[in-house]
Amino acid sequence: MQQSTKDTILSRRQIEALIAQGQSIIIVNQKVFRVDAWIPYHPGGQKVIQHVVGKDATDEFTIFHCDETRQMIGRYQIGRIDGRWTNFVPPIQGGVFRSDDGEEEDDDESTVLVKEQQDTSSTGLKAPTADAGMHKRHSQPKPTENMAPQDGMTFLDTQTKEEIKLTLSKYPPLDSATQDEIIAKYRLLHKQIHNEGLYNCHYTAYAWEFARCSVLFGTMLFFLRIGWYNTSALFLAWFWSQMVFAAHDAGHIGITQNYTIDSLIGMTIAAPIGGLSLGWWKRSHNVHHIVTNAPEHDPDNQHLPFLAVNHRFLGNIFSTYHERLLAYDKVAQALVPFQAYLYYIILLFGRFNLYVQSWLFLLKAQGPRKGPAKWHRWFEICGNLIFWLWFGYGILYKSIPTPLARISFVLISHMATMPLHVQFTVSHFAMSTTDLGPNESFAQRMLRTTMDVDCPPWLDWVHGGLQFQAIHHLYPRVPRHNLRRAQALVMEFCRDVGIPYALYGFVGGNRKVLGGLAEVARQAAILDKCRRTVAERGDLVWGR
């Protein structure tokens, strides 16, 4: 009997050669998949796939996708692997692949090669990007007048090495035996969570959520009716914030566990009710879940020129998400030293930024144009037009009499959502941004880069599940009303494998974030001093 192509054992060199030819190869449950044909259809965007090319993505694939998707991927299988897989650095992250035939290298040599690639990319000095669907090497943009001088680069490199050293001292070692044990116990925990029914949604809890949001919206209309416009704006802000929690759940297929139904729920909340795009959020947020807190790759911590959450942003790093240089230019040099003081002020304008990002995504058609999500763009465009009809025309123009009152209503209703943006950032801004290489287990990386916020159960509705970010990053499809139970299981898992579990009170977490921003501001001051010193030396040389 002829062996099926899917059962063909592929060697490491064969897989490396396929990736070098531009193919998107991932490994899931010892099976090798070529997913290039799926990339145009992928609702989560192409970059989330590019970040797992050449890696064993079993955990990432399992926790993000529903049963229907996990069954569908079988059509892209091209072979199998035999034995343990040592991850490559994905091309989008700087991995270098050989297409020529050669002798098989042993695991030790392979690990050295991967580590050398990682050391190069982790400093942010030589980060490449990749074309859509392809893995072509690109050279780093040429230095400009805004690039840091050599002394400044040396300072940043030293800070990076110290950061890596400190991180390695706090977390389990990266050897294969230790990481394999973490992976095995993480998967056992996943089975326990599934067996306990924590993936099952409590629809009565959502009935209460719906009732709460209805009361908030009704109260907003009442105060609008009697002319208490500023009070009305406050209730609209609280309504939007509560609805975002449900949209977040739906975006992760965490309500019905059905992709189409949850997408409809999420897009309806996001577009006609909130004036935003769930498609844009998915494209950005899914990458954030895969490369959490990586300065070069995670769009959720790339906020120059306003904020630099890590010293590497002071060195003009290249964003693989935005596909452009994040320049530490004169505007950033003026703002970053004061970022600890500006943090909350900047977050006041967070919702305005979401409008811009949503419309750029929709107008540029950056979402899937094929497959089950191809109609989402038009649904969201129509939904956003409905939003501006009821909010822009119905409330601002028809219900509020004066321009000054309209401006006040917009500012209050949008800026009062600031606590929501604090919740988005507090769980990550103060956590590790170190790149420990491709062989760190998914579970360890998520727990290292994410913190939970401690609060009593009666306040859960205020935080909307976002206080369990570490748990959510480990199991994003678990409905938020089950996250508190899952937290107890994860804490036990952390004690077992020796991974620190970060848990802070809301005030303590904010203090940690502000302390981290202040530290980067201090480093920015040192870097600026380096620049001035080099400039003065240059003057002396020219003076001679």
Side-chain angles (χ1 to χ4, degrees):
M1 182 180 294
Q2 187 175 6
Q3 186 185 40
S4 169
T5 304
K6 292 184 178 182
D7 293 324
T8 302
I9 300 298
L10 298 177
S11 70
R12 181 176 180 81
R13 284 291 291 115
Q14 288 175 311
I15 292 174
E16 180 182 10
L18 292 175
I19 297 173
Q21 295 167 15
Q23 298 182 33
S24 300
I25 306 296
I26 65 173
I27 292 90
V28 176
N29 291 321
Q30 298 292 104
K31 300 175 182 178
V32 180
F33 297 95
R34 179 170 52 213
V35 294
D36 299 271
W38 172 241
I39 287 179
Y41 299 85
H42 190 233
Q46 64 186 18
K47 292 187 183 296
V48 69
I49 296 178
Q50 290 176 338
H51 280 292
V52 294
V53 167
K55 300 179 67 175
D56 184 337
T58 300
D59 292 327
E60 291 90 332
F61 180 76
T62 300
I63 65 165
F64 278 108
H65 297 96
C66 59
D67 292 338
E68 180 184 358
T69 303
R70 292 201 299 271
Q71 294 170 4
M72 178 211 64
I73 196 175
R75 71 185 69 172
Y76 301 108
Q77 184 179 348
I78 60 171
R80 294 178 177 273
I81 61 170
D82 184 22
R84 186 185 188 277
W85 179 258
T86 301
N87 289 330
F88 286 112
V89 176
I92 194 174
Q93 297 178 15
V96 180
F97 295 80
R98 298 166 296 174
S99 59
D100 58 306
D101 294 330
E103 295 182 0
E104 286 287 329
E105 58 189 18
D106 59 34
D107 287 343
D108 291 339
E109 291 175 344
S110 174
T111 302
V112 170
L113 175 62
V114 169
K115 186 66 173 67
E116 287 176 349
Q117 294 170 1
Q118 188 58 36
D119 287 342
T120 299
S121 63
S122 65
T123 62
L125 303 179
K126 298 181 180 179
T129 185
D131 275 347
M134 298 295 290
H135 305 307
K136 296 163 58 179
R137 294 282 297 176
H138 289 255
S139 59
Q140 183 75 339
K142 295 181 179 180
T144 66
E145 62 179 0
N146 291 322
M147 293 292 279
Q150 189 60 42
D151 283 4
M153 286 291 107
T154 302
F155 167 73
L156 294 178
D157 289 345
T158 300
Q159 294 297 310
T160 298
K161 291 176 182 178
E162 288 297 320
E163 183 183 54
I164 293 174
K165 182 179 179 181
L166 179 62
T167 303
L168 289 173
S169 70
K170 293 181 178 180
Y171 289 87
L174 301 176
D175 61 275
S176 58
T178 301
Q179 294 301 310
D180 284 352
E181 180 183 7
I182 292 173
I183 292 170
K185 291 183 176 179
Y186 170 64
R187 292 175 184 175
L188 285 175
L189 176 59
H190 182 245
K191 288 183 179 179
Q192 183 179 359
I193 286 175
H194 188 274
N195 291 338
E196 287 197 16
L198 297 185
Y199 274 101
N200 299 329
C201 181
H202 298 297
Y203 293 111
T204 53
Y206 277 103
W208 283 108
E209 300 289 349
F210 179 78
R212 183 184 302 116
C213 291
S214 298
V215 169
L216 289 172
F217 193 78
T219 306
M220 180 274 292
L221 292 176
F222 169 75
F223 283 115
L224 183 69
R225 177 76 175 179
I226 66 174
W228 289 30
Y229 303 122
N230 292 342
T231 305
S232 175
L234 274 175
F235 277 93
L236 181 58
W238 295 334
F239 166 76
W240 278 334
S241 296
Q242 288 292 311
M243 292 300 290
V244 162
F245 300 145
H248 178 261
D249 297 343
H252 280 292
I253 323 177
I255 298 179
T256 69
Q257 302 290 316
N258 179 282
Y259 171 75
T260 301
I261 296 175
D262 278 1
S263 294
L264 276 170
I265 293 172
M267 288 189 298
T268 300
I269 295 171
I273 295 177
L276 306 175
S277 166
L278 188 75
W280 162 78
W281 176 85
K282 280 187 176 183
R283 181 176 184 262
S284 170
H285 193 69
N286 287 339
V287 173
H288 161 71
H289 268 265
I290 292 293
V291 286
T292 308
N293 260 23
E296 299 85 1
H297 312 300
D298 183 358
D300 279 16
N301 66 5
Q302 296 177 347
H303 301 293
L304 283 178
F306 303 104
L307 297 171
V309 300
N310 179 269
H311 67 273
R312 298 215 293 279
F313 286 103
L314 309 180
N316 300 282
I317 67 175
F318 189 87
S319 167
T320 59
Y321 180 82
H322 296 291
E323 297 184 352
R324 61 179 175 83
L325 188 72
L326 300 178
Y328 185 60
D329 54 20
K330 292 182 179 179
V331 176
Q333 292 171 28
L335 294 176
V336 169
F338 305 100
Q339 63 181 1
Y341 305 99
L342 297 174
Y343 171 62
Y344 295 112
I345 297 175
I346 291 170
L347 293 186
L348 287 171
F349 298 90
R351 186 171 180 83
F352 296 103
N353 177 58
L354 298 183
Y355 288 142
V356 174
Q357 298 302 324
S358 294
W359 275 108
L360 287 175
F361 172 83
L362 294 173
L363 293 177
K364 292 182 178 181
Q366 293 176 333
R369 302 186 186 185
K370 302 178 180 179
K374 65 180 181 181
W375 56 276
H376 289 187
R377 179 192 179 210
W378 303 109
F379 182 94
E380 292 199 299
I381 288 176
C382 292
N384 273 273
L385 294 176
I386 292 172
F387 169 80
W388 287 108
L389 182 64
W390 75 260
F391 175 71
Y393 179 77
I395 290 183
L396 293 182
Y397 182 73
K398 294 294 290 184
S399 302
I400 302 176
T402 66
L404 184 60
R406 291 168 186 157
I407 293 173
S408 177
F409 188 93
V410 168
L411 292 178
I412 292 174
S413 63
H414 287 57
M415 291 183 172
T417 63
M418 186 265 281
L420 182 65
H421 298 280
V422 172
Q423 287 183 297
F424 289 151
T425 58
V426 72
S427 292
H428 298 292
F429 275 18
M431 296 301 291
S432 172
T433 59
T434 307
D435 191 344
L436 295 184
N439 289 314
E440 181 183 26
S441 62
F442 174 78
Q444 179 169 314
R445 187 167 67 252
M446 292 302 103
L447 290 164
R448 179 173 59 81
T449 56
T450 314
M451 76 162 71
D452 274 358
V453 174
D454 194 20
C455 76
W458 63 272
L459 272 180
D460 283 353
W461 69 274
V462 175
H463 293 276
L466 298 182
Q467 75 274 33
F468 299 116
Q469 277 293 295
I471 317 302
H472 170 67
H473 270 252
L474 291 174
Y475 302 106
R477 290 187 298 111
V478 170
R480 66 174 141 126
H481 304 101
N482 296 334
L483 290 176
R484 185 169 287 278
R485 167 56 185 158
Q487 183 186 51
L489 299 177
V490 170
M491 292 175 75
E492 183 179 346
F493 162 78
C494 288
R495 286 191 293 267
D496 186 22
V497 299
I499 297 178
Y501 175 70
L503 180 64
Y504 292 84
F506 187 72
V507 174
N510 276 266
R511 286 176 178 168
K512 189 169 175 62
V513 168
L514 292 175
L517 293 175
E519 174 60 20
V520 176
R522 184 187 69 83
Q523 294 167 341
I526 296 174
L527 182 62
D528 184 59
K529 185 177 180 180
C530 289
R531 285 195 176 96
R532 292 198 305 268
T533 300
V534 171
E536 290 170 0
R537 288 175 183 172
D539 291 342
L540 290 174
V541 171
W542 283 109
R544 292 177 186 174

PDB file of all heavy atoms in Angstrom, residues 494-511:
ATOM      1  N   CYS A 494       1.193  27.262  38.366  1.00  0.00           N
ATOM      2  CA  CYS A 494       2.393  28.084  38.496  1.00  0.00           C
ATOM      3  C   CYS A 494       3.267  27.612  39.665  1.00  0.00           C
ATOM      4  O   CYS A 494       4.505  27.574  39.554  1.00  0.00           O
ATOM      5  CB  CYS A 494       2.012  29.552  38.675  1.00  0.00           C
ATOM      6  SG  CYS A 494       1.370  30.327  37.176  1.00  0.00           S
ATOM      7  N   ARG A 495       2.639  27.284  40.763  1.00  0.00           N
ATOM      8  CA  ARG A 495       3.406  26.772  41.906  1.00  0.00           C
ATOM      9  C   ARG A 495       4.090  25.456  41.546  1.00  0.00           C
ATOM     10  O   ARG A 495       5.227  25.193  41.960  1.00  0.00           O
ATOM     11  CB  ARG A 495       2.483  26.591  43.113  1.00  0.00           C
ATOM     12  CG  ARG A 495       2.067  27.886  43.782  1.00  0.00           C
ATOM     13  CD  ARG A 495       1.389  27.627  45.121  1.00  0.00           C
ATOM     14  NE  ARG A 495       0.100  26.949  44.948  1.00  0.00           N
ATOM     15  CZ  ARG A 495      -1.057  27.579  44.844  1.00  0.00           C
ATOM     16  NH1 ARG A 495      -1.094  28.915  44.878  1.00  0.00           N
ATOM     17  NH2 ARG A 495      -2.188  26.896  44.702  1.00  0.00           N
ATOM     18  N   ASP A 496       3.421  24.644  40.764  1.00  0.00           N
ATOM     19  CA  ASP A 496       3.952  23.331  40.404  1.00  0.00           C
ATOM     20  C   ASP A 496       5.170  23.447  39.496  1.00  0.00           C
ATOM     21  O   ASP A 496       6.162  22.727  39.675  1.00  0.00           O
ATOM     22  CB  ASP A 496       2.849  22.515  39.724  1.00  0.00           C
ATOM     23  CG  ASP A 496       3.269  21.086  39.433  1.00  0.00           C
ATOM     24  OD1 ASP A 496       4.203  20.583  40.099  1.00  0.00           O
ATOM     25  OD2 ASP A 496       2.651  20.453  38.554  1.00  0.00           O
ATOM     26  N   VAL A 497       5.125  24.346  38.505  1.00  0.00           N
ATOM     27  CA  VAL A 497       6.215  24.436  37.521  1.00  0.00           C
ATOM     28  C   VAL A 497       7.224  25.525  37.851  1.00  0.00           C
ATOM     29  O   VAL A 497       8.238  25.665  37.157  1.00  0.00           O
ATOM     30  CB  VAL A 497       5.651  24.659  36.099  1.00  0.00           C
ATOM     31  CG1 VAL A 497       4.764  23.495  35.689  1.00  0.00           C
ATOM     32  CG2 VAL A 497       4.885  25.983  36.006  1.00  0.00           C
ATOM     33  N   GLY A 498       6.970  26.317  38.886  1.00  0.00           N
ATOM     34  CA  GLY A 498       7.935  27.321  39.313  1.00  0.00           C
ATOM     35  C   GLY A 498       7.928  28.607  38.517  1.00  0.00           C
ATOM     36  O   GLY A 498       8.930  29.331  38.494  1.00  0.00           O
ATOM     37  N   ILE A 499       6.800  28.923  37.879  1.00  0.00           N
ATOM     38  CA  ILE A 499       6.678  30.195  37.148  1.00  0.00           C
ATOM     39  C   ILE A 499       6.029  31.223  38.061  1.00  0.00           C
ATOM     40  O   ILE A 499       4.950  30.980  38.604  1.00  0.00           O
ATOM     41  CB  ILE A 499       5.826  30.029  35.874  1.00  0.00           C
ATOM     42  CG1 ILE A 499       6.481  29.063  34.907  1.00  0.00           C
ATOM     43  CG2 ILE A 499       5.616  31.386  35.187  1.00  0.00           C
ATOM     44  CD1 ILE A 499       5.670  28.807  33.642  1.00  0.00           C
ATOM     45  N   PRO A 500       6.661  32.386  38.272  1.00  0.00           N
ATOM     46  CA  PRO A 500       6.034  33.428  39.105  1.00  0.00           C
ATOM     47  C   PRO A 500       4.702  33.875  38.506  1.00  0.00           C
ATOM     48  O   PRO A 500       4.600  34.083  37.297  1.00  0.00           O
ATOM     49  CB  PRO A 500       7.062  34.562  39.074  1.00  0.00           C
ATOM     50  CG  PRO A 500       8.354  33.921  38.702  1.00  0.00           C
ATOM     51  CD  PRO A 500       8.002  32.776  37.796  1.00  0.00           C
ATOM     52  N   TYR A 501       3.715  34.003  39.367  1.00  0.00           N
ATOM     53  CA  TYR A 501       2.391  34.456  38.937  1.00  0.00           C
ATOM     54  C   TYR A 501       2.201  35.885  39.443  1.00  0.00           C
ATOM     55  O   TYR A 501       2.188  36.131  40.645  1.00  0.00           O
ATOM     56  CB  TYR A 501       1.309  33.534  39.494  1.00  0.00           C
ATOM     57  CG  TYR A 501      -0.105  33.991  39.209  1.00  0.00           C
ATOM     58  CD1 TYR A 501      -0.615  33.951  37.921  1.00  0.00           C
ATOM     59  CD2 TYR A 501      -0.923  34.456  40.237  1.00  0.00           C
ATOM     60  CE1 TYR A 501      -1.906  34.367  37.657  1.00  0.00           C
ATOM     61  CE2 TYR A 501      -2.213  34.865  39.981  1.00  0.00           C
ATOM     62  CZ  TYR A 501      -2.704  34.819  38.695  1.00  0.00           C
ATOM     63  OH  TYR A 501      -3.982  35.239  38.435  1.00  0.00           O
ATOM     64  N   ALA A 502       2.093  36.828  38.520  1.00  0.00           N
ATOM     65  CA  ALA A 502       2.019  38.248  38.872  1.00  0.00           C
ATOM     66  C   ALA A 502       0.588  38.638  39.193  1.00  0.00           C
ATOM     67  O   ALA A 502      -0.294  38.555  38.333  1.00  0.00           O
ATOM     68  CB  ALA A 502       2.554  39.109  37.726  1.00  0.00           C
ATOM     69  N   LEU A 503       0.355  39.050  40.432  1.00  0.00           N
ATOM     70  CA  LEU A 503      -0.971  39.466  40.880  1.00  0.00           C
ATOM     71  C   LEU A 503      -0.824  40.733  41.719  1.00  0.00           C
ATOM     72  O   LEU A 503      -0.161  40.725  42.747  1.00  0.00           O
ATOM     73  CB  LEU A 503      -1.625  38.356  41.700  1.00  0.00           C
ATOM     74  CG  LEU A 503      -3.032  38.639  42.250  1.00  0.00           C
ATOM     75  CD1 LEU A 503      -4.027  38.817  41.109  1.00  0.00           C
ATOM     76  CD2 LEU A 503      -3.477  37.518  43.179  1.00  0.00           C
ATOM     77  N   TYR A 504      -1.423  41.814  41.269  1.00  0.00           N
ATOM     78  CA  TYR A 504      -1.342  43.104  41.947  1.00  0.00           C
ATOM     79  C   TYR A 504      -2.746  43.658  42.139  1.00  0.00           C
ATOM     80  O   TYR A 504      -3.654  43.380  41.342  1.00  0.00           O
ATOM     81  CB  TYR A 504      -0.522  44.110  41.131  1.00  0.00           C
ATOM     82  CG  TYR A 504       0.951  43.783  41.021  1.00  0.00           C
ATOM     83  CD1 TYR A 504       1.410  42.895  40.053  1.00  0.00           C
ATOM     84  CD2 TYR A 504       1.884  44.362  41.877  1.00  0.00           C
ATOM     85  CE1 TYR A 504       2.755  42.586  39.938  1.00  0.00           C
ATOM     86  CE2 TYR A 504       3.228  44.069  41.769  1.00  0.00           C
ATOM     87  CZ  TYR A 504       3.655  43.174  40.798  1.00  0.00           C
ATOM     88  OH  TYR A 504       4.992  42.877  40.696  1.00  0.00           O
ATOM     89  N   GLY A 505      -2.902  44.462  43.168  1.00  0.00           N
ATOM     90  CA  GLY A 505      -4.120  45.237  43.290  1.00  0.00           C
ATOM     91  C   GLY A 505      -4.151  46.296  42.203  1.00  0.00           C
ATOM     92  O   GLY A 505      -3.127  46.601  41.577  1.00  0.00           O
ATOM     93  N   PHE A 506      -5.323  46.873  41.962  1.00  0.00           N
ATOM     94  CA  PHE A 506      -5.440  47.856  40.885  1.00  0.00           C
ATOM     95  C   PHE A 506      -4.519  49.056  41.124  1.00  0.00           C
ATOM     96  O   PHE A 506      -3.831  49.511  40.205  1.00  0.00           O
ATOM     97  CB  PHE A 506      -6.891  48.329  40.767  1.00  0.00           C
ATOM     98  CG  PHE A 506      -7.146  49.215  39.573  1.00  0.00           C
ATOM     99  CD1 PHE A 506      -7.161  48.678  38.299  1.00  0.00           C
ATOM    100  CD2 PHE A 506      -7.362  50.568  39.724  1.00  0.00           C
ATOM    101  CE1 PHE A 506      -7.395  49.486  37.185  1.00  0.00           C
ATOM    102  CE2 PHE A 506      -7.595  51.390  38.627  1.00  0.00           C
ATOM    103  CZ  PHE A 506      -7.610  50.846  37.361  1.00  0.00           C
ATOM    104  N   VAL A 507      -4.458  49.522  42.348  1.00  0.00           N
ATOM    105  CA  VAL A 507      -3.565  50.650  42.673  1.00  0.00           C
ATOM    106  C   VAL A 507      -2.116  50.215  42.543  1.00  0.00           C
ATOM    107  O   VAL A 507      -1.283  50.924  41.955  1.00  0.00           O
ATOM    108  CB  VAL A 507      -3.854  51.179  44.092  1.00  0.00           C
ATOM    109  CG1 VAL A 507      -2.834  52.255  44.481  1.00  0.00           C
ATOM    110  CG2 VAL A 507      -5.269  51.749  44.172  1.00  0.00           C
ATOM    111  N   GLY A 508      -1.779  49.031  43.074  1.00  0.00           N
ATOM    112  CA  GLY A 508      -0.412  48.542  42.982  1.00  0.00           C
ATOM    113  C   GLY A 508       0.032  48.331  41.551  1.00  0.00           C
ATOM    114  O   GLY A 508       1.177  48.620  41.194  1.00  0.00           O
ATOM    115  N   GLY A 509      -0.878  47.816  40.717  1.00  0.00           N
ATOM    116  CA  GLY A 509      -0.547  47.625  39.313  1.00  0.00           C
ATOM    117  C   GLY A 509      -0.273  48.940  38.609  1.00  0.00           C
ATOM    118  O   GLY A 509       0.654  49.055  37.804  1.00  0.00           O
ATOM    119  N   ASN A 510      -1.074  49.953  38.915  1.00  0.00           N
ATOM    120  CA  ASN A 510      -0.847  51.268  38.317  1.00  0.00           C
ATOM    121  C   ASN A 510       0.477  51.867  38.772  1.00  0.00           C
ATOM    122  O   ASN A 510       1.190  52.502  37.985  1.00  0.00           O
ATOM    123  CB  ASN A 510      -2.003  52.206  38.662  1.00  0.00           C
ATOM    124  CG  ASN A 510      -3.178  52.060  37.719  1.00  0.00           C
ATOM    125  OD1 ASN A 510      -3.306  52.789  36.740  1.00  0.00           O
ATOM    126  ND2 ASN A 510      -4.046  51.099  38.002  1.00  0.00           N
ATOM    127  N   ARG A 511       0.810  51.675  40.044  1.00  0.00           N
ATOM    128  CA  ARG A 511       2.102  52.164  40.535  1.00  0.00           C
ATOM    129  C   ARG A 511       3.253  51.492  39.800  1.00  0.00           C
ATOM    130  O   ARG A 511       4.257  52.134  39.469  1.00  0.00           O
ATOM    131  CB  ARG A 511       2.211  51.910  42.035  1.00  0.00           C
ATOM    132  CG  ARG A 511       1.370  52.849  42.893  1.00  0.00           C
ATOM    133  CD  ARG A 511       1.452  52.459  44.359  1.00  0.00           C
ATOM    134  NE  ARG A 511       0.688  53.370  45.206  1.00  0.00           N
ATOM    135  CZ  ARG A 511       0.413  53.135  46.477  1.00  0.00           C
ATOM    136  NH1 ARG A 511       0.841  52.010  47.061  1.00  0.00           N
ATOM    137  NH2 ARG A 511      -0.295  54.010  47.180  1.00  0.00           N
TER     138      ARG A 511
END
